[in-house]
Amino acid sequence: MKNFITQLNKAFESRIRLGIMSILMVNDWVDFGELKETLALTDGNLASHIAALEKEQFIIVRKSFIGKKPNTAFQVTQEGREAFQSHLAALEELVKGMK
């Protein structure tokens, strides 16, 4: 049997990063508050995982103002999309290989 575990991307080992990427894959832009609420995270916890994904260049961070209120939103990059899809394909192959 092929060792599918080596095909998994270490950047997505965390369930939080899996959640962030899953949400971003199906939405154009998602703001910090929405991610925080959807994933039930603290500001600091979400910020640290966002920083890790940004460092890998898997997401883009956009800071703006809505009226006079600051807003931070995120979008998956093409590189992030491809890396996440490859990760999901490796997970699928791992599961199929277990049958």
Side-chain angles (χ1 to χ4, degrees), residues 43-99:
D43 287 357
N45 199 353
L46 178 56
S48 66
H49 288 285
I50 288 293
L53 291 170
E54 184 181 19
K55 182 179 177 184
E56 295 288 335
Q57 298 182 340
F58 290 161
I59 62 170
I60 297 169
V61 178
R62 177 183 71 192
K63 294 185 180 269
S64 62
F65 284 88
I66 297 177
K68 293 185 178 190
K69 196 172 183 183
N71 179 268
T72 304
F74 310 97
Q75 183 181 55
V76 68
T77 63
Q78 185 59 38
E79 182 179 348
R81 185 172 299 281
E82 291 169 6
F84 194 65
Q85 288 171 333
S86 293
H87 181 76
L88 293 178
L91 280 173
E92 189 174 333
E93 289 300 317
L94 178 64
V95 170
K96 285 180 184 176
M98 298 302 293
K99 291 182 180 179

Side-chain angles (χ1 to χ4, degrees), residues 21-58:
M21 290 299 291
S22 295
I23 292 167
L24 294 179
M25 291 289 285
V26 297
N27 292 284
D28 190 27
W29 287 93
V30 180
D31 70 27
F32 188 91
E34 187 176 346
L35 279 176
K36 178 183 164 186
E37 182 179 323
T38 302
L39 298 171
L41 301 172
T42 63
D43 287 357
N45 199 353
L46 178 56
S48 66
H49 288 285
I50 288 293
L53 291 170
E54 184 181 19
K55 182 179 177 184
E56 295 288 335
Q57 298 182 340
F58 290 161

